[in-house]
Amino acid sequence: MFTQNDLNQIEALGIDLATVNQQIQDFKDGFPFMQLQKAATPDNGVTQLSEEALAEYISLYESKVQSITPLKFVPASGAASRMFKSLFGFLEEGKSDKSTVQFFERLSEFAFYDDLVKVLPENADEKTIADYYLTSKGLEYGTLPKGLLKFHKYETGNRTAIEEHLVEGANYANADGIVKLHFTVSPEHLSRFTALLEAVVPSYEATYGVKYDISFSEQRKSTDTIAVNLDNTPFREKDGSLLFRPAGHGALLANLNDIDANIVFIKNIDNVVPDRIKATTYDYKKALAGVLLKYQDKIFDYQYQLTQGASLPLILELTEFFEKELCVLQPTSFTDLSHNEKVAYFIEKLNRPLRVCGVVKNTGEPGGGPFWCKNSDGSTSLQIVESAQVDLDNEDQKAIFNNSTHFNPVDLICALKNSKGEKFNLLKFRDPKTGFVTQKSKDGKDLKAQELPGLWNGAMSDWNTIFVEVPLITFNPVKTVNDLLRDEHQ
């Protein structure tokens, strides 16, 4: 199937030939659908915090934060071009719709307005404004990542999305005056990110009395996946070379795996709000971290108890702990296991990464929801599932999916180390059979592309997982430029 030139290309990308062959086999076989058992709902997989519990978990986190070295991990490599789909249509084809009319009518309300005015020629018409806004003639927002875009207005100076993450980090990821942040970026934008931060970090350090420890990583070429024709043969570029494509946010598992931190907050670059409504976000970030620390302590304690002798009462207690608190239902074959086999089972299930996922009430946003799912080992556990992973032609599965009451806004707190302080190898806890196949085109030719298991979906399939409801105000992503005109962003 592959020529020597192909093999040289694969090797240069740092990809295993066996991995490429498996990807092609996955195209042929397809990926199995998730087996939904039921939606995770309040009192049935989703925890709701009372005011008292919220305060207790915040206090728990604040009492331990100095010793746990938290880090804030922000995927920030995606281009913002999709934010401007309507504006590009207006610029390139003269098409105008309600969103473009709103954009121009309320132009002066955007945080980037002052910057735009400085580069615009006099008496610029709407098309010229769009041109200078989107292209390299002016602000070139159409080609920049979201992290570099001005999001919010302040009297002291307007802020980009990445600056809002600096402020957030100082308020809930501050350990003894050190705030650690990690951003995944595209190589072509790294210099712009570093230049911006060099200019603004001293001011934020002075304002919040902290020192920032900021690092970057890029999505690795070795995580790209091969593209194929519709008949599952390798797709070839005009020069005869193979086509490898970025494999979605699941590829960032390799970046997360390199992080050395006890506790990691994961949040998308565009889900930020102005200072006036950040307090709720701070409270729930701390509370979710408190929930994580509580259950991490419980897990470590159970692991210690198992080393001291696993009595029958302990096995019964662990069975209930997994079913009632970690929401892991044992496979039907569990009852047939010997005592020693049950001990080995729990040792394995306890020794896994742990995550607490904030979920908001479902308001119709597209994306993943929390579900109880049947796993390949026969157990049932909590998973974040996207619609593409569900067999919506199956009426039973469709009904379960449509009964979802909550939505995952990419709000995760993760514990990445075991009881000995050693990093887990996160790649071992991914379900490789939860990838995606999509249809794309290149140079006028149809092709099939493959995405790795999503970072908060199949990439974390074999983690211990807890879902906690968080207020809707903590979820304010910017998917289109006009989202910045919503009250939450003004």
Side-chain angles (χ1 to χ4, degrees):
M1 185 184 303
F2 297 118
T3 67
Q4 188 58 50
N5 284 342
D6 296 337
L7 298 177
N8 293 341
Q9 181 184 356
I10 292 168
E11 183 179 3
L13 289 171
I15 304 175
D16 239 9
L17 179 59
T19 299
V20 178
N21 285 328
Q22 182 60 55
Q23 289 168 2
I24 290 175
Q25 192 61 47
D26 287 335
F27 278 118
K28 294 176 179 177
D29 297 341
F31 290 104
F33 290 114
M34 296 291 288
Q35 296 301 307
L36 306 185
Q37 302 300 294
K38 56 186 175 182
T41 57
D43 299 322
N44 194 5
V46 175
T47 299
Q48 293 176 309
L49 301 181
S50 65
E51 288 299 316
E52 181 181 5
L54 179 69
E56 288 178 358
Y57 285 122
I58 291 172
S59 178
L60 174 60
Y61 174 68
E62 289 179 341
S63 71
K64 293 192 172 188
V65 66
Q66 305 305 330
S67 61
I68 59 174
T69 320
L71 178 141
K72 191 168 157 56
F73 182 95
V74 184
S77 54
S81 53
R82 283 178 291 184
M83 283 178 59
F84 311 114
K85 182 178 179 181
S86 293
L87 277 178
F88 273 117
F90 173 75
L91 177 63
E92 296 167 357
E93 302 172 30
K95 294 179 180 178
S96 183
D97 57 21
K98 288 182 180 179
S99 65
T100 54
V101 171
Q102 183 186 42
F103 175 83
F104 290 115
E105 285 181 346
R106 300 181 62 182
L107 187 63
S108 63
E109 298 177 40
F110 287 104
F112 55 75
Y113 177 72
D114 292 343
D115 293 342
L116 181 60
V117 168
K118 291 175 184 175
V119 298
L120 281 176
E122 290 186 17
N123 303 316
D125 60 14
E126 290 184 346
K127 196 156 191 175
T128 303
I129 291 171
D131 195 17
Y132 275 72
Y133 177 56
L134 296 173
T135 74
S136 58
K137 290 181 181 178
L139 300 186
E140 58 185 314
Y141 268 33
T143 58
L144 294 179
K146 289 182 182 179
L148 295 175
L149 309 188
K150 289 279 181 72
F151 265 34
H152 301 137
K153 284 185 170 184
Y154 295 93
E155 290 183 5
T156 55
N158 299 344
R159 290 183 197 156
T160 59
I162 197 171
E163 289 173 82
E164 296 290 18
H165 282 280
L166 297 182
V167 175
E168 280 197 13
N171 281 277
Y172 63 75
N174 175 356
D176 201 22
I178 303 298
V179 180
K180 292 189 173 185
L181 298 103
H182 183 89
F183 298 94
T184 64
V185 300
S186 300
E188 63 269 25
H189 297 131
L190 177 59
S191 61
R192 305 224 11 195
F193 274 110
T194 55
L196 172 61
L197 290 175
E198 284 174 7
V200 302
V201 159
S203 173
Y204 288 106
E205 288 183 334
T207 299
Y208 294 101
V210 300
K211 287 292 182 182
Y212 288 101
D213 180 353
I214 299 173
S215 56
F216 295 93
S217 64
E218 300 167 4
Q219 189 165 317
R220 298 175 184 173
K221 299 300 292 182
S222 60
T223 63
D224 288 358
T225 53
I226 193 169
V228 297
N229 297 301
L230 300 188
D231 64 358
N232 299 316
T233 56
F235 182 95
R236 295 192 178 273
E237 300 267 36
K238 290 179 178 179
D239 63 3
S241 64
L242 300 170
L243 173 63
F244 286 86
R245 304 179 79 259
H249 54 70
L252 297 180
L253 184 66
N255 303 62
L256 184 62
N257 200 37
D258 287 340
I259 295 296
D260 187 7
N262 296 309
I263 302 297
V264 175
F265 295 85
I266 301 180
K267 188 180 184 185
N268 276 344
I269 188 70
D270 65 342
N271 185 17
V272 287
V273 293
D275 287 353
R276 64 182 178 81
I277 53 175
K278 278 192 174 81
T280 303
T281 292
Y282 298 158
D283 284 348
Y284 272 86
K285 278 288 189 291
K286 293 176 181 178
L288 294 185
V291 172
L292 184 87
L293 292 171
K294 170 191 170 181
Y295 279 95
Q296 185 183 56
D297 283 347
K298 276 193 170 188
I299 287 170
F300 288 173
D301 182 58
Y302 278 129
Q303 288 178 303
Y304 174 75
Q305 289 186 56
L306 285 172
T307 66
Q308 301 304 300
S311 63
L312 178 57
L314 178 58
I315 295 301
L316 294 175
E317 185 179 334
L318 276 165
T319 302
E320 184 173 7
F321 172 68
F322 269 89
E323 291 183 359
K324 298 289 178 62
E325 299 192 57
L326 292 184
C327 298
V328 177
L329 305 181
Q330 318 314 328
T332 54
S333 59
F334 181 77
T335 55
D336 298 328
L337 298 180
S338 69
H339 179 79
N340 287 341
E341 288 172 329
K342 290 179 180 178
V343 171
Y345 174 87
F346 282 124
I347 287 174
E348 180 182 347
K349 290 293 186 183
L350 289 167
N351 192 36
R352 305 192 290 179
L354 172 66
R355 62 176 175 163
V356 175
C357 309
V359 294
V360 296
K361 289 181 179 177
N362 195 340
T363 57
E365 290 280 352
F371 293 90
W372 295 74
C373 299
K374 181 67 70 74
N375 302 313
S376 58
D377 67 355
S379 66
T380 299
S381 64
L382 296 177
Q383 304 287 344
I384 297 170
V385 182
E386 310 287 334
S387 59
Q389 296 177 277
V390 182
D391 182 4
L392 296 177
D393 292 330
N394 181 306
E395 290 302 320
D396 291 337
Q397 292 289 289
K398 182 179 180 180
I400 294 172
F401 187 77
N402 289 338
N403 282 335
S404 174
T405 59
H406 287 71
F407 167 80
N408 167 54
V410 190
D411 186 0
L412 299 93
I413 322 292
C414 304
L416 306 184
K417 294 186 177 182
N418 64 21
S419 59
K420 298 177 182 178
E422 301 163 335
K423 288 170 54 180
F424 288 109
N425 179 359
L426 303 182
L427 303 180
K428 291 184 176 180
F429 300 91
R430 173 175 61 182
D431 182 353
K433 291 301 181 183
T434 54
F436 300 83
V437 173
T438 57
Q439 192 160 323
K440 306 284 185 180
S441 64
K442 179 92 182 334
D443 300 328
K445 293 171 59 180
D446 289 333
L447 61 85
K448 290 198 292 186
Q450 191 172 136
E451 290 193 11
L452 293 172
L455 182 58
W456 37 87
N457 310 114
M460 297 182 177
S461 175
D462 202 24
W463 292 39
N464 286 318
T465 297
I466 297 165
F467 291 135
V468 177
E469 182 179 289
V470 297
L472 196 56
I473 193 66
T474 64
F475 177 55
N476 285 287
V478 177
K479 300 305 180 188
T480 72
V481 63
N482 287 2
D483 285 340
L484 292 169
L485 297 172
R486 297 201 318 261
D487 289 343
E488 297 87 347
H489 289 286
Q490 289 293 300

